[in-house]
């Protein structure tokens, strides 16, 4: 009988733990907001920095990069040529190190006249409380470049 109770309690604990983690992930998705227009993309993530050792707050950068790339492609297809205005990117991370963060990004675009001057992709490299592996990322991305092209990297 004691084994049955122990097994039942373990099952309840595992189920409760999975339900709690699922709820946290759902809350993160609800606390993530990205809006894009012809002028750029902006967004905010509000929530825990880490869940089970995974840097969920930093993952917002991945989602923003994908949204920026998608918007640039959409603009290009509509013959509205643009590129990221690197010098005016804004980023803030309030509460970093406290366990709960408000991470905001604003990535503006500038209009260019020629299709060849437009960007149709965007990526990032960075670290959540550690030095980014920029050299490694440059090497990875160099394989995606067309001959005669170069990476444009912000400060």
């Amino acid at each position: 009988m004691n084994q049955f109770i122990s097994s039942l309690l373990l099952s309840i604990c595992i189920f409760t733990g999975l339900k709690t983690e699922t709820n946290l992930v759902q809350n993160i998705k609800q606390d993530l907001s990205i809006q894009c227009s012809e002028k750029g993309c902006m967004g905010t993530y509000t929530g825990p920095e880490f869940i089970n050792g995974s840097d969920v707050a930093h993952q917002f950068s991945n989602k923003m990069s994908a949204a920026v790339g998608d918007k640039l492609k959409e603009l290009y297809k509509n013959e509205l040529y643009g590129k990221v205005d690197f010098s005016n990117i804004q980023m803030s991370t309030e509460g970093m190190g406290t366990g709960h963060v408000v991470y905001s990004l604003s990535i503006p675009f500038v209009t260019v006249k020629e299709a060849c001057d437009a960007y149709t992709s965007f990526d990032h490299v960075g670290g959540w409380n550690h030095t980014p592996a920029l050299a490694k990322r440059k090497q990875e991305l160099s394989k995606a470049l067309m001959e005669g092209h170069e990476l444009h990297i912000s400060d």
Side-chain angles (χ1 to χ4, degrees):
M1 180 69 129
N2 285 341
Q3 267 187 332
F4 174 74
I5 293 172
S6 296
S7 295
L8 180 61
L9 289 175
L10 180 61
S11 297
I12 291 170
C13 290
I14 290 171
F15 179 73
T16 303
L18 290 174
K19 187 174 181 185
T20 301
E21 187 173 330
T22 300
N23 288 345
L24 284 172
V25 171
Q26 287 174 346
N27 288 341
I28 288 166
K29 289 178 182 175
Q30 291 172 354
D31 291 341
L32 176 68
S33 171
I34 297 174
Q35 300 87 32
C36 293
S37 71
E38 292 176 17
K39 294 182 180 185
C41 294
M42 58 190 315
T44 300
Y45 163 78
T46 302
E49 287 181 74
F50 297 93
I51 295 178
N52 295 331
S54 179
D55 57 349
V56 292
H58 180 230
Q59 292 172 21
F60 172 58
S61 300
N62 300 335
K63 293 183 184 338
M64 177 61 88
S65 291
V68 168
D70 290 347
K71 188 62 179 183
L72 289 168
K73 285 175 186 65
E74 177 190 315
L75 292 172
Y76 189 90
K77 287 177 185 175
N78 291 319
E79 298 181 5
L80 299 170
Y81 308 120
K83 63 182 182 179
V84 172
D85 182 0
F86 285 122
S87 62
N88 286 308
I89 292 175
Q90 295 179 358
M91 179 179 89
S92 68
T93 52
E94 296 176 26
M96 192 169 168
T98 67
H100 182 85
V101 69
V102 178
Y103 178 17
S104 297
L105 279 169
S106 174
I107 302 178
F109 302 154
V110 292
T111 303
V112 295
K113 291 183 182 197
E114 301 296 324
C116 292
D117 295 329
Y119 294 170
T120 55
S121 64
F122 182 81
D123 207 339
H124 78 98
V125 63
W128 199 253
N129 232 1
H130 64 82
T131 305
L134 183 57
K136 180 182 176 189
R137 192 68 181 130
K138 282 181 181 180
Q139 183 181 20
E140 292 168 352
L141 291 173
S142 68
K143 297 171 188 167
L145 290 174
M146 293 173 37
E147 190 174 323
H149 289 213
E150 62 185 51
L151 293 173
H152 296 259
I153 301 173
S154 72
D155 293 334

